[in-house]
Amino acid sequence: MQMPTEGRDWNEVREEMVARSGKDVDWRSGRTAVYVFNAGEDIHHVQKEAYALFMAENGLGPLAFPSLAQMEKDVIAMALGLLHGPQGATGAITSGGTDSITMAMKTARDFARESGRQQTGHNIVLPRSAHLAFDKAAHLMDIAVRRVPLKTDGSFEADPAAMAAAVDEATIMMVGSAPNFPHGIIDPIAALGEVAAEKKVWLHVDACVGGYFAPFARMNGVAVPAFDFAVPAVHSMSADLHKYGYCAKGASTVLFRSEDLYKHMPFNYRDWSGAPMKTPTLAGTRPGGAISAAWAVMNVLGVSGYREKQGLVCATREKIEAGVKALGFEVLGRPLLGLMAFRHPEADTLALYGAMRARGWFTSFTAEPQSLHLMLSPKHAEVADDYLRDLAAALADVRAGVTSEKVEARYS
Ligand SMILES: *Cc1c(COP(=O)(O)O)cnc(C)c1O
């Protein structure tokens, strides 16, 4: 496309945009279980209006926009209230989980340097199942990544003893997930905490996809093990507002046990021609809308709203678990929240995946071991029966030797 010489009519441009979205996955119908968290029309409306209210404003300027500064403080306080943040705990809103993880690693590295630990040649120790955002951040910062195999007991949990063996003087961070993305399993954070305390290493809990889910699941009676700042060795956490916080995209939280840890995060610089600038996260300009939409959704839902939505997601996951087991699938480990992975002993996963895609289901899959993957939203309560019916048909196709290509050709 070349820029039009004369500007075009907005209504015409808008229509073209809507037409283009016609080729996208139809997430509104609930047949997408990755990328989008569909909490319903009412929450979508709140996101939109609250975003638009502060869309022009910039979180880079807390003095100019005390409104945004206070909303950010409120969001962080609400987060810490849910995640057992002790007195003095603090944090910041970032653009997403990758940003939160990157900033937590940078903070841990600078903390290690200031604490007189080794100055260079650092490494982080993380389970095989931890998110690749850690590798990306490590790549940026020239930090080595030591990925440690999971327990071999079928739990798909991090192995604290094996991780302990991988830690050395140059380790600036250990990681546990709550839950991990590939299997939806919460790592044994308390046991990782014991290792971290003994080795005197920073423990980060990646609760990007569970931070705004697990506290409410627990309130609903799910036996969620200790995973947050209730574990004393946990130094920092990442928790995404734009996942199960049901906030507009571009919003996550990075949280620290104390101001003393947090203070290594902001970048405070004055040695250039411009005005001195202090930025807490990776971003310079920070979209006001992402902050205001997060604040609004949290206030509109409240504890009762989140409990209801997460209860619906858990009930849907239980229903799908039972349904896929009845079809002969094996569910990996014991998922407690909104993610699950499952595989069939007699059917190729990618063939099944193709057969489900052909039936209009856009989901993710897990590579180790190859399995189908679902990240469920409240909306999925309405389509769980359809999913299971289509999965049964897809399984029959695959068992009859209809390959994913053939299935794709037949249904597209
Ligand atoms: C989504 C996710 C991330 C990364 O978050 P983005 O917002 O996509 O950058 C990190 N860790 C886990 C466990 C996640 O689910």
Short mmCIF file of all heavy atoms in Angstrom, two decimals, residues 254-313:
data_model
loop_
_atom_site.label_atom_id
_atom_site.label_comp_id
_atom_site.label_asym_id
_atom_site.label_seq_id
_atom_site.Cartn_x
_atom_site.Cartn_y
_atom_site.Cartn_z
N VAL A 254 4.45 -5.90 37.07
CA VAL A 254 5.65 -6.52 37.63
C VAL A 254 5.72 -6.04 39.08
O VAL A 254 5.60 -4.85 39.37
CB VAL A 254 6.92 -6.19 36.81
CG1 VAL A 254 7.21 -4.70 36.73
CG2 VAL A 254 8.13 -6.94 37.37
N LEU A 255 5.87 -7.01 40.00
CA LEU A 255 5.71 -6.73 41.43
C LEU A 255 6.97 -7.17 42.19
O LEU A 255 7.59 -8.17 41.84
CB LEU A 255 4.49 -7.49 41.96
CG LEU A 255 3.19 -7.25 41.17
CD1 LEU A 255 2.16 -8.31 41.52
CD2 LEU A 255 2.64 -5.85 41.44
N PHE A 256 7.30 -6.41 43.22
CA PHE A 256 8.49 -6.70 44.03
C PHE A 256 8.13 -6.74 45.50
O PHE A 256 7.27 -5.98 45.96
CB PHE A 256 9.57 -5.65 43.76
CG PHE A 256 10.01 -5.60 42.33
CD1 PHE A 256 9.36 -4.79 41.41
CD2 PHE A 256 11.04 -6.42 41.88
CE1 PHE A 256 9.73 -4.78 40.08
CE2 PHE A 256 11.43 -6.42 40.54
CZ PHE A 256 10.76 -5.59 39.63
N ARG A 257 8.83 -7.62 46.23
CA ARG A 257 8.56 -7.79 47.66
C ARG A 257 8.80 -6.51 48.45
O ARG A 257 8.13 -6.26 49.44
CB ARG A 257 9.44 -8.93 48.20
CG ARG A 257 9.38 -9.10 49.71
CD ARG A 257 10.07 -10.37 50.14
NE ARG A 257 9.31 -11.54 49.72
CZ ARG A 257 8.24 -12.03 50.35
NH1 ARG A 257 7.82 -11.47 51.46
NH2 ARG A 257 7.60 -13.07 49.87
N SER A 258 9.78 -5.68 48.00
CA SER A 258 10.11 -4.48 48.78
C SER A 258 10.61 -3.36 47.87
O SER A 258 11.03 -3.60 46.73
CB SER A 258 11.21 -4.81 49.81
OG SER A 258 12.43 -5.04 49.12
N GLU A 259 10.56 -2.18 48.40
CA GLU A 259 11.10 -1.00 47.73
C GLU A 259 12.60 -1.19 47.47
O GLU A 259 13.13 -0.74 46.44
CB GLU A 259 10.86 0.22 48.64
CG GLU A 259 11.26 1.55 48.06
CD GLU A 259 10.37 2.01 46.91
OE1 GLU A 259 9.13 1.81 47.00
OE2 GLU A 259 10.92 2.54 45.94
N ASP A 260 13.26 -1.88 48.38
CA ASP A 260 14.69 -2.10 48.28
C ASP A 260 15.07 -2.92 47.04
O ASP A 260 16.13 -2.71 46.44
CB ASP A 260 15.16 -2.81 49.55
CG ASP A 260 16.64 -2.55 49.80
OD1 ASP A 260 17.07 -1.39 49.63
OD2 ASP A 260 17.35 -3.53 50.12
N LEU A 261 14.18 -3.83 46.66
CA LEU A 261 14.40 -4.61 45.43
C LEU A 261 13.97 -3.77 44.22
O LEU A 261 14.68 -3.67 43.23
CB LEU A 261 13.61 -5.92 45.46
CG LEU A 261 13.88 -6.85 46.64
CD1 LEU A 261 12.99 -8.09 46.55
CD2 LEU A 261 15.35 -7.27 46.66
N TYR A 262 12.79 -3.17 44.34
CA TYR A 262 12.21 -2.39 43.23
C TYR A 262 13.14 -1.28 42.75
O TYR A 262 13.19 -0.98 41.56
CB TYR A 262 10.87 -1.77 43.68
CG TYR A 262 10.32 -0.74 42.72
CD1 TYR A 262 9.50 -1.12 41.66
CD2 TYR A 262 10.62 0.62 42.85
CE1 TYR A 262 9.01 -0.19 40.76
CE2 TYR A 262 10.13 1.56 41.96
CZ TYR A 262 9.33 1.15 40.92
OH TYR A 262 8.85 2.08 40.03
N LYS A 263 13.87 -0.68 43.68
CA LYS A 263 14.65 0.52 43.33
C LYS A 263 15.70 0.25 42.24
O LYS A 263 16.19 1.19 41.63
CB LYS A 263 15.31 1.12 44.58
CG LYS A 263 16.49 0.34 45.12
CD LYS A 263 17.14 1.04 46.29
CE LYS A 263 18.40 0.28 46.68
NZ LYS A 263 18.73 0.41 48.10
N HIS A 264 16.00 -1.02 41.98
CA HIS A 264 16.95 -1.35 40.91
C HIS A 264 16.29 -1.40 39.54
O HIS A 264 16.94 -1.65 38.54
CB HIS A 264 17.64 -2.68 41.21
CG HIS A 264 18.40 -2.66 42.50
ND1 HIS A 264 19.65 -2.09 42.62
CD2 HIS A 264 18.07 -3.08 43.74
CE1 HIS A 264 20.06 -2.19 43.86
NE2 HIS A 264 19.11 -2.78 44.57
N MET A 265 14.98 -1.16 39.49
CA MET A 265 14.29 -1.23 38.19
C MET A 265 14.30 0.08 37.40
O MET A 265 14.66 0.08 36.22
CB MET A 265 12.85 -1.74 38.37
CG MET A 265 12.14 -1.88 37.02
SD MET A 265 10.63 -2.83 37.06
CE MET A 265 9.48 -1.63 37.71
N PRO A 266 13.89 1.21 37.98
CA PRO A 266 13.76 2.43 37.16
C PRO A 266 15.09 2.87 36.55
O PRO A 266 16.16 2.65 37.14
CB PRO A 266 13.26 3.48 38.17
CG PRO A 266 12.67 2.70 39.30
CD PRO A 266 13.49 1.45 39.38
N PHE A 267 14.99 3.46 35.38
CA PHE A 267 16.15 4.02 34.70
C PHE A 267 16.07 5.53 34.86
O PHE A 267 15.12 6.17 34.42
CB PHE A 267 16.12 3.63 33.22
CG PHE A 267 17.42 3.87 32.51
CD1 PHE A 267 18.53 3.08 32.77
CD2 PHE A 267 17.54 4.91 31.58
CE1 PHE A 267 19.73 3.30 32.11
CE2 PHE A 267 18.75 5.13 30.92
CZ PHE A 267 19.84 4.33 31.19
N ASN A 268 17.07 6.08 35.53
CA ASN A 268 17.05 7.49 35.90
C ASN A 268 18.27 8.13 35.26
O ASN A 268 19.39 7.87 35.68
CB ASN A 268 17.12 7.58 37.43
CG ASN A 268 16.73 8.96 37.92
OD1 ASN A 268 16.50 9.87 37.12
ND2 ASN A 268 16.66 9.12 39.23
N TYR A 269 18.07 8.94 34.24
CA TYR A 269 19.21 9.38 33.44
C TYR A 269 19.16 10.87 33.17
O TYR A 269 18.09 11.44 32.95
CB TYR A 269 19.20 8.61 32.11
CG TYR A 269 20.56 8.56 31.45
CD1 TYR A 269 21.59 7.81 32.01
CD2 TYR A 269 20.82 9.27 30.27
CE1 TYR A 269 22.84 7.76 31.41
CE2 TYR A 269 22.07 9.22 29.68
CZ TYR A 269 23.08 8.47 30.25
OH TYR A 269 24.30 8.41 29.67
N ARG A 270 20.32 11.52 33.22
CA ARG A 270 20.35 12.96 32.95
C ARG A 270 21.50 13.38 32.03
O ARG A 270 21.58 14.54 31.63
CB ARG A 270 20.41 13.76 34.26
CG ARG A 270 21.22 13.12 35.38
CD ARG A 270 21.07 13.92 36.70
NE ARG A 270 19.77 13.72 37.33
CZ ARG A 270 18.88 14.69 37.53
NH1 ARG A 270 19.15 15.92 37.15
NH2 ARG A 270 17.73 14.44 38.11
N ASP A 271 22.39 12.47 31.65
CA ASP A 271 23.59 12.86 30.90
C ASP A 271 23.32 12.89 29.39
O ASP A 271 23.86 12.08 28.62
CB ASP A 271 24.74 11.91 31.24
CG ASP A 271 26.07 12.41 30.69
OD1 ASP A 271 26.16 13.59 30.28
OD2 ASP A 271 27.03 11.61 30.67
N TRP A 272 22.48 13.77 28.96
CA TRP A 272 22.20 13.99 27.53
C TRP A 272 21.65 15.40 27.40
O TRP A 272 21.49 16.10 28.40
CB TRP A 272 21.22 12.95 26.97
CG TRP A 272 19.80 13.07 27.42
CD1 TRP A 272 19.37 13.22 28.70
CD2 TRP A 272 18.64 13.10 26.59
NE1 TRP A 272 18.00 13.32 28.74
CE2 TRP A 272 17.52 13.25 27.44
CE3 TRP A 272 18.41 13.01 25.21
CZ2 TRP A 272 16.21 13.31 26.96
CZ3 TRP A 272 17.10 13.06 24.75
CH2 TRP A 272 16.02 13.21 25.61
N SER A 273 21.36 15.85 26.15
CA SER A 273 20.92 17.23 25.93
C SER A 273 19.54 17.53 26.47
O SER A 273 19.21 18.68 26.74
CB SER A 273 20.91 17.56 24.43
OG SER A 273 22.04 17.03 23.80
N GLY A 274 18.71 16.50 26.56
CA GLY A 274 17.32 16.72 26.94
C GLY A 274 17.13 16.81 28.44
O GLY A 274 18.09 16.77 29.22
N ALA A 275 15.85 16.91 28.83
CA ALA A 275 15.51 16.98 30.25
C ALA A 275 15.80 15.63 30.91
O ALA A 275 15.72 14.59 30.26
CB ALA A 275 14.04 17.33 30.41
N PRO A 276 16.16 15.64 32.18
CA PRO A 276 16.33 14.36 32.89
C PRO A 276 15.04 13.57 32.85
O PRO A 276 13.95 14.16 32.88
CB PRO A 276 16.65 14.78 34.33
CG PRO A 276 16.92 16.23 34.31
CD PRO A 276 16.32 16.80 33.06
N MET A 277 15.16 12.27 32.73
CA MET A 277 13.95 11.45 32.63
C MET A 277 14.11 10.19 33.45
O MET A 277 15.16 9.55 33.40
CB MET A 277 13.72 11.09 31.16
CG MET A 277 12.27 11.16 30.72
SD MET A 277 12.10 10.60 29.04
CE MET A 277 12.35 12.11 28.13
N LYS A 278 13.08 9.88 34.20
CA LYS A 278 13.09 8.64 34.98
C LYS A 278 11.94 7.77 34.51
O LYS A 278 10.79 8.18 34.55
CB LYS A 278 12.94 8.95 36.46
CG LYS A 278 13.01 7.73 37.35
CD LYS A 278 12.92 8.11 38.82
CE LYS A 278 12.91 6.85 39.68
NZ LYS A 278 12.82 7.17 41.12
N THR A 279 12.28 6.56 34.01
CA THR A 279 11.24 5.65 33.53
C THR A 279 11.31 4.35 34.32
O THR A 279 12.38 3.76 34.44
CB THR A 279 11.41 5.36 32.03
OG1 THR A 279 12.78 5.01 31.78
CG2 THR A 279 11.06 6.57 31.18
N PRO A 280 10.16 3.88 34.83
CA PRO A 280 10.19 2.67 35.65
C PRO A 280 10.37 1.39 34.82
O PRO A 280 10.94 0.42 35.32
CB PRO A 280 8.83 2.67 36.35
CG PRO A 280 7.95 3.52 35.50
CD PRO A 280 8.84 4.52 34.82
N THR A 281 9.87 1.37 33.58
CA THR A 281 9.87 0.12 32.81
C THR A 281 10.61 0.31 31.50
O THR A 281 11.29 1.30 31.30
CB THR A 281 8.42 -0.35 32.54
OG1 THR A 281 7.76 0.65 31.74
CG2 THR A 281 7.65 -0.52 33.84
N LEU A 282 10.45 -0.66 30.58
CA LEU A 282 11.16 -0.61 29.31
C LEU A 282 10.66 0.56 28.44
O LEU A 282 11.42 1.14 27.67
CB LEU A 282 10.94 -1.93 28.57
CG LEU A 282 11.96 -2.35 27.53
CD1 LEU A 282 13.36 -2.37 28.10
CD2 LEU A 282 11.59 -3.74 27.00
N ALA A 283 9.40 0.91 28.59
CA ALA A 283 8.79 1.92 27.73
C ALA A 283 9.23 3.33 28.09
O ALA A 283 9.65 3.60 29.22
CB ALA A 283 7.27 1.82 27.84
N GLY A 284 9.17 4.23 27.09
CA GLY A 284 9.23 5.66 27.37
C GLY A 284 7.77 6.09 27.50
O GLY A 284 7.19 6.04 28.59
N THR A 285 7.19 6.46 26.39
CA THR A 285 5.75 6.75 26.37
C THR A 285 4.98 5.54 26.85
O THR A 285 5.25 4.41 26.43
CB THR A 285 5.34 7.10 24.92
OG1 THR A 285 5.92 8.36 24.59
CG2 THR A 285 3.83 7.17 24.78
N ARG A 286 4.04 5.80 27.76
CA ARG A 286 3.22 4.68 28.26
C ARG A 286 1.75 5.00 28.00
O ARG A 286 1.22 6.01 28.48
CB ARG A 286 3.46 4.47 29.75
CG ARG A 286 4.91 4.03 30.01
CD ARG A 286 5.03 3.26 31.29
NE ARG A 286 4.78 4.08 32.45
CZ ARG A 286 4.43 3.59 33.64
NH1 ARG A 286 4.25 2.31 33.80
NH2 ARG A 286 4.25 4.40 34.64
N PRO A 287 1.06 4.16 27.22
CA PRO A 287 -0.32 4.45 26.83
C PRO A 287 -1.24 4.59 28.05
O PRO A 287 -1.42 3.66 28.82
CB PRO A 287 -0.72 3.24 25.98
CG PRO A 287 0.28 2.18 26.28
CD PRO A 287 1.53 2.86 26.71
N GLY A 288 -1.79 5.80 28.19
CA GLY A 288 -2.71 6.04 29.31
C GLY A 288 -3.91 5.10 29.28
O GLY A 288 -4.39 4.66 30.32
N GLY A 289 -4.36 4.77 28.06
CA GLY A 289 -5.54 3.92 27.94
C GLY A 289 -5.36 2.54 28.55
O GLY A 289 -6.30 1.99 29.13
N ALA A 290 -4.17 1.97 28.41
CA ALA A 290 -3.94 0.63 28.97
C ALA A 290 -4.06 0.68 30.50
O ALA A 290 -4.56 -0.27 31.12
CB ALA A 290 -2.57 0.11 28.55
N ILE A 291 -3.60 1.79 31.09
CA ILE A 291 -3.67 1.95 32.55
C ILE A 291 -5.12 2.20 32.98
O ILE A 291 -5.63 1.56 33.91
CB ILE A 291 -2.74 3.10 33.00
CG1 ILE A 291 -1.29 2.77 32.65
CG2 ILE A 291 -2.92 3.37 34.49
CD1 ILE A 291 -0.31 3.94 32.85
N SER A 292 -5.79 3.14 32.30
CA SER A 292 -7.15 3.49 32.72
C SER A 292 -8.12 2.33 32.49
O SER A 292 -9.01 2.09 33.31
CB SER A 292 -7.63 4.74 31.99
OG SER A 292 -7.64 4.55 30.59
N ALA A 293 -7.92 1.57 31.40
CA ALA A 293 -8.81 0.44 31.14
C ALA A 293 -8.62 -0.63 32.21
O ALA A 293 -9.59 -1.25 32.68
CB ALA A 293 -8.56 -0.14 29.75
N ALA A 294 -7.37 -0.85 32.63
CA ALA A 294 -7.11 -1.84 33.69
C ALA A 294 -7.79 -1.42 34.99
O ALA A 294 -8.46 -2.22 35.65
CB ALA A 294 -5.60 -2.02 33.89
N TRP A 295 -7.61 -0.15 35.33
CA TRP A 295 -8.22 0.36 36.57
C TRP A 295 -9.73 0.20 36.53
O TRP A 295 -10.36 -0.22 37.50
CB TRP A 295 -7.82 1.83 36.75
CG TRP A 295 -8.18 2.40 38.06
CD1 TRP A 295 -7.44 2.35 39.21
CD2 TRP A 295 -9.39 3.13 38.39
NE1 TRP A 295 -8.11 3.00 40.23
CE2 TRP A 295 -9.30 3.48 39.76
CE3 TRP A 295 -10.52 3.50 37.66
CZ2 TRP A 295 -10.31 4.19 40.41
CZ3 TRP A 295 -11.54 4.20 38.30
CH2 TRP A 295 -11.42 4.55 39.67
N ALA A 296 -10.31 0.52 35.38
CA ALA A 296 -11.77 0.47 35.24
C ALA A 296 -12.29 -0.96 35.34
O ALA A 296 -13.23 -1.24 36.08
CB ALA A 296 -12.19 1.10 33.91
N VAL A 297 -11.66 -1.89 34.60
CA VAL A 297 -12.16 -3.27 34.60
C VAL A 297 -12.07 -3.87 36.00
O VAL A 297 -12.99 -4.54 36.48
CB VAL A 297 -11.39 -4.14 33.57
CG1 VAL A 297 -11.73 -5.61 33.73
CG2 VAL A 297 -11.72 -3.68 32.15
N MET A 298 -10.95 -3.60 36.69
CA MET A 298 -10.81 -4.15 38.05
C MET A 298 -11.89 -3.61 38.98
O MET A 298 -12.42 -4.32 39.83
CB MET A 298 -9.42 -3.82 38.60
CG MET A 298 -8.30 -4.61 37.93
SD MET A 298 -6.67 -4.01 38.42
CE MET A 298 -6.08 -5.39 39.38
N ASN A 299 -12.23 -2.34 38.81
CA ASN A 299 -13.27 -1.75 39.66
C ASN A 299 -14.66 -2.24 39.28
O ASN A 299 -15.51 -2.45 40.14
CB ASN A 299 -13.20 -0.22 39.60
CG ASN A 299 -12.20 0.32 40.60
OD1 ASN A 299 -12.49 0.40 41.79
ND2 ASN A 299 -11.01 0.64 40.14
N VAL A 300 -14.89 -2.40 37.98
CA VAL A 300 -16.22 -2.84 37.53
C VAL A 300 -16.47 -4.30 37.91
O VAL A 300 -17.56 -4.67 38.35
CB VAL A 300 -16.38 -2.63 36.00
CG1 VAL A 300 -17.60 -3.36 35.48
CG2 VAL A 300 -16.47 -1.13 35.70
N LEU A 301 -15.44 -5.15 37.77
CA LEU A 301 -15.63 -6.57 38.12
C LEU A 301 -15.62 -6.76 39.64
O LEU A 301 -16.50 -7.42 40.19
CB LEU A 301 -14.54 -7.43 37.47
CG LEU A 301 -14.75 -7.80 36.00
CD1 LEU A 301 -13.55 -8.57 35.48
CD2 LEU A 301 -16.02 -8.63 35.83
N GLY A 302 -14.63 -6.21 40.31
CA GLY A 302 -14.51 -6.43 41.74
C GLY A 302 -14.26 -7.89 42.05
O GLY A 302 -14.26 -8.74 41.15
N VAL A 303 -14.07 -8.21 43.31
CA VAL A 303 -13.79 -9.59 43.71
C VAL A 303 -14.92 -10.52 43.28
O VAL A 303 -14.69 -11.60 42.73
CB VAL A 303 -13.56 -9.68 45.24
CG1 VAL A 303 -13.47 -11.14 45.69
CG2 VAL A 303 -12.28 -8.94 45.62
N SER A 304 -16.16 -10.08 43.46
CA SER A 304 -17.28 -10.97 43.14
C SER A 304 -17.33 -11.24 41.63
O SER A 304 -17.61 -12.37 41.21
CB SER A 304 -18.60 -10.38 43.63
OG SER A 304 -18.85 -9.14 42.98
N GLY A 305 -17.04 -10.22 40.82
CA GLY A 305 -17.06 -10.41 39.37
C GLY A 305 -15.99 -11.38 38.91
O GLY A 305 -16.25 -12.27 38.10
N TYR A 306 -14.76 -11.21 39.44
CA TYR A 306 -13.68 -12.14 39.06
C TYR A 306 -13.98 -13.55 39.55
O TYR A 306 -13.73 -14.53 38.84
CB TYR A 306 -12.33 -11.66 39.63
CG TYR A 306 -11.68 -10.56 38.80
CD1 TYR A 306 -11.63 -9.25 39.27
CD2 TYR A 306 -11.10 -10.84 37.57
CE1 TYR A 306 -11.03 -8.24 38.53
CE2 TYR A 306 -10.49 -9.84 36.82
CZ TYR A 306 -10.46 -8.54 37.30
OH TYR A 306 -9.86 -7.54 36.56
N ARG A 307 -14.51 -13.65 40.77
CA ARG A 307 -14.82 -15.00 41.28
C ARG A 307 -15.82 -15.69 40.37
O ARG A 307 -15.66 -16.88 40.06
CB ARG A 307 -15.39 -14.90 42.69
CG ARG A 307 -14.32 -14.73 43.74
CD ARG A 307 -14.91 -14.79 45.14
NE ARG A 307 -15.45 -16.11 45.45
CZ ARG A 307 -15.88 -16.47 46.65
NH1 ARG A 307 -15.82 -15.60 47.66
NH2 ARG A 307 -16.36 -17.67 46.86
N GLU A 308 -16.81 -14.96 39.93
CA GLU A 308 -17.83 -15.56 39.08
C GLU A 308 -17.22 -16.00 37.74
O GLU A 308 -17.42 -17.13 37.29
CB GLU A 308 -18.94 -14.53 38.85
CG GLU A 308 -20.18 -15.12 38.21
CD GLU A 308 -20.86 -14.12 37.30
OE1 GLU A 308 -20.99 -12.93 37.70
OE2 GLU A 308 -21.23 -14.52 36.18
N LYS A 309 -16.42 -15.12 37.12
CA LYS A 309 -15.84 -15.45 35.80
C LYS A 309 -14.87 -16.63 35.92
O LYS A 309 -14.91 -17.55 35.11
CB LYS A 309 -15.10 -14.25 35.23
CG LYS A 309 -16.01 -13.03 35.06
CD LYS A 309 -16.03 -12.52 33.63
CE LYS A 309 -16.95 -11.34 33.45
NZ LYS A 309 -18.34 -11.71 33.09
N GLN A 310 -13.99 -16.58 36.94
CA GLN A 310 -12.99 -17.65 37.05
C GLN A 310 -13.66 -18.96 37.46
O GLN A 310 -13.21 -20.05 37.08
CB GLN A 310 -11.87 -17.29 38.03
CG GLN A 310 -11.29 -15.87 37.93
CD GLN A 310 -10.85 -15.37 36.56
OE1 GLN A 310 -11.44 -15.73 35.56
NE2 GLN A 310 -9.82 -14.52 36.53
N GLY A 311 -14.76 -18.87 38.21
CA GLY A 311 -15.51 -20.08 38.57
C GLY A 311 -16.09 -20.74 37.32
O GLY A 311 -16.06 -21.96 37.16
N LEU A 312 -16.58 -19.89 36.42
CA LEU A 312 -17.14 -20.39 35.16
C LEU A 312 -16.05 -21.06 34.33
O LEU A 312 -16.25 -22.13 33.74
CB LEU A 312 -17.73 -19.19 34.40
CG LEU A 312 -18.77 -19.43 33.32
CD1 LEU A 312 -19.95 -20.22 33.87
CD2 LEU A 312 -19.25 -18.08 32.77
N VAL A 313 -14.86 -20.44 34.30
CA VAL A 313 -13.75 -21.01 33.53
C VAL A 313 -13.33 -22.36 34.13
O VAL A 313 -13.14 -23.35 33.40
CB VAL A 313 -12.54 -20.04 33.48
CG1 VAL A 313 -11.34 -20.71 32.82
CG2 VAL A 313 -12.91 -18.76 32.73
#
